[in-house]
Amino acid sequence: MTASSHRTLTFVNWRLQPNRDDDAAPTTYSFRCLTLNDDDTECAEKSALSTDPTEPQLWVFAHLRTHPDHLSYAEVIERPWVMRTEGPA
Ligand SMILES: [Zn+2]
């Protein structure tokens, strides 16, 4: 008796796209302070994540009140994406 194996290979095209499914993770926004400390390390304090893009902006004003020389920030946006097949290649 001989051993045999059989494989079927299917090539598919993939597409990367924003995930807008109901169960997809929400898009979140935050801000991070980019100001460099005296030792050239980044302050790196950051706001809480929010699904409201304007809410983290309020954190920037609060951070500036306690750190008047921290003027440089980055907005960090996390948007879910998903890979989907488009059928055979
Ligand atoms: Zn800072």
Side-chain angles (χ1 to χ4, degrees), residues 14 16 36 39-40 42 44-45 51 60 67-68 78 85-86:
W14 289 92
L16 176 63
L36 296 179
D39 63 357
D40 279 348
E42 193 177 277
E45 284 194 42
T51 55
V60 173
H67 303 83
E78 185 171 296
T85 57
E86 292 185 310

Side-chain angles (χ1 to χ4, degrees), residues 7-73:
R7 265 186 226 174
T8 302
L9 299 177
T10 304
F11 295 95
V12 295
N13 289 318
W14 289 92
R15 181 169 35 144
L16 176 63
Q17 65 185 64
N19 189 349
R20 295 188 176 93
D21 292 351
D22 291 340
D23 61 347
T27 297
T28 58
Y29 305 85
S30 66
F31 270 85
R32 186 178 84 241
C33 182
L34 298 177
T35 304
L36 296 179
N37 297 311
D38 291 340
D39 63 357
D40 279 348
T41 59
E42 193 177 277
C43 166
E45 284 194 42
K46 55 188 173 185
S47 72
L49 294 176
S50 175
T51 55
D52 176 353
T54 62
E55 203 170 276
Q57 295 173 13
L58 300 175
W59 173 87
V60 173
F61 286 91
H63 189 68
L64 182 66
R65 276 194 294 278
T66 56
H67 303 83
D69 57 337
H70 289 198
L71 306 176
S72 185
Y73 297 87

